């Protein structure tokens, strides 16, 4: 699906004809978004399956033989985005961020807008760490979902470059409640997928801490 969006940066003067907008006052984006705001989807599971299907058709691979490898993009925070404090501007930034630097190849997808509960992400070391004091839920960086053959993924996991690092299979939920029921299609109504995150602590530690990625921030 190709998406198109446009908006004005500033209001035009009365002398200007709205039928013929000038280029400096408008931004126009066309094509596949470079990044996707996952919480905006009504049914994110279908979107992720479609990504695998799209890649499988282009490569002649069955969808059942594909999975995702995950790469956390730590340095994705734009300095200009921090300057916006108005809610309307923040909504416009979501669209701007999604279409910033469209990629014609669009192999895999970049996901943003998730929150992590029970832990935090160390941007410098690129590993999962314990939450800061009095911090329950915080923003999580952008994640690159790359479709990969299952056989290739297994061989990659077995060859870890740093033996001291573990891999935690972090669940992704649509709501903080984490409860779910099966839909008519046989998919969970709340559990979306799992993201593999690097950590220096064993996975059992994060399971005990009930760490999960959420599409909605837990404000309790």
């Amino acid at each position: 699906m190709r998406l198109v969006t446009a908006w004005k940066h500033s209001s035009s003067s009365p002398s200007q004809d709205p039928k013929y907008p000038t280029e400096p006052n408008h931004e126009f984006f066309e094509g596949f978004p470079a990044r996707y705001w996952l919480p905006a989807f009504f049914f994110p599971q279908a979107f992720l399956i479609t990504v695998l299907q799209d890649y499988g058709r282009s490569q002649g691979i069955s969808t059942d033989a594909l999975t995702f490898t995950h790469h956390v993009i730590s340095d994705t925070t734009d300095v200009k985005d921090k300057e916006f404090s108005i809610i309307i501007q923040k909504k416009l930034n979501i669209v701007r961020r999604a279409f910033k630097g469209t990629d014609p190849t669009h192999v895999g997808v970049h996901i943003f807008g998730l929150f992590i509960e029970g832990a935090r992400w160390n941007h410098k070391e690129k590993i999962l760490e314990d939450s800061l004091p009095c911090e329950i839920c915080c923003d999580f960086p952008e994640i690159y979902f790359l479709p990969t053959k299952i056989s290739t993924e297994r061989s990659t996991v077995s060859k870890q470059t740093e033996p001291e690092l573990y891999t935690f299979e972090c669940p992704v939920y649509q709501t903080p409640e984490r409860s779910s029921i099966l839909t008519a299609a046989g998919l969970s109504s709340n559990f979306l997928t799992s993201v593999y995150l690097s950590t220096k602590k064993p996975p059992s530690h994060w399971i005990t801490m009930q760490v999960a990625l959420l599409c909605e921030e837990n404000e309790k």
Side-chain angles (χ1 to χ4, degrees):
M1 179 183 295
R2 296 175 65 84
L3 303 177
V4 179
T5 182
W7 70 80
K8 290 184 179 180
H9 272 298
S10 59
S11 58
S12 57
S13 62
S15 61
Q16 286 183 327
D17 190 350
K19 294 183 179 179
Y20 303 97
T22 57
E23 185 66 22
N25 293 333
H26 288 73
E27 282 191 5
F28 182 78
F29 301 97
E30 181 177 0
F32 290 100
R35 300 166 184 85
Y36 292 86
W37 184 30
L38 192 64
F41 287 93
F42 176 77
F43 195 40
Q45 299 95 319
F47 169 71
L48 296 175
I49 293 175
T50 303
V51 174
L52 292 178
Q53 290 176 339
D54 182 63
Y55 178 81
R57 289 171 183 170
S58 64
Q59 301 296 323
I61 305 174
S62 172
T63 306
D64 295 335
L66 293 173
T67 185
F68 284 114
T69 54
H70 309 98
H71 304 279
V72 180
I73 313 299
S74 295
D75 300 328
T76 57
T77 304
D78 194 350
V79 177
K80 295 182 180 179
D81 291 341
K82 294 182 179 179
E83 299 175 357
F84 292 102
S85 57
I86 304 176
I87 297 178
I88 297 179
Q89 290 291 348
K90 292 178 66 176
K91 297 298 182 182
L92 292 178
N93 287 340
I94 292 174
V95 180
R96 185 177 305 169
R97 182 177 178 183
F99 285 89
K100 184 178 180 180
T102 55
D103 185 4
T105 59
H106 90 110
V107 177
V109 290
H110 288 255
I111 299 298
F112 71 96
L114 296 178
F115 304 91
I116 188 167
E117 186 178 35
R120 68 184 180 94
W121 184 255
N122 188 316
H123 293 268
K124 293 183 179 180
E125 297 187 17
K126 298 182 179 181
I127 59 173
L128 197 64
E129 287 189 348
D130 289 316
S131 300
L132 296 176
C134 301
E135 183 182 62
I136 300 176
C137 192
C138 59
D139 295 338
F140 197 79
E142 179 181 313
I143 307 174
Y144 180 32
F145 281 66
L146 178 64
T148 312
K149 289 186 66 174
I150 292 178
S151 58
T152 306
E153 168 67 10
R154 287 175 179 173
S155 62
T156 303
V157 172
S158 62
K159 296 180 181 179
Q160 289 185 330
T161 55
E162 298 185 31
E164 60 185 25
L165 288 181
Y166 297 91
T167 300
F168 170 58
E169 186 177 352
C170 184
V172 183
Y173 294 98
Q174 197 163 6
T175 62
E177 285 76 14
R178 306 190 188 187
S179 60
S180 62
I181 59 175
L182 292 179
T183 63
L187 299 175
S188 173
S189 60
N190 195 11
F191 174 76
L192 305 183
T193 184
S194 294
V195 174
Y196 295 91
L197 304 176
S198 298
T199 172
K200 290 184 178 181
K201 296 186 177 181
S204 58
H205 171 76
W206 305 114
I207 295 175
T208 303
M209 300 299 295
Q210 300 181 356
V211 175
L213 289 169
L214 308 174
C215 289
E216 297 179 10
E217 185 177 7
N218 192 352
E219 298 180 353
K220 292 182 180 180

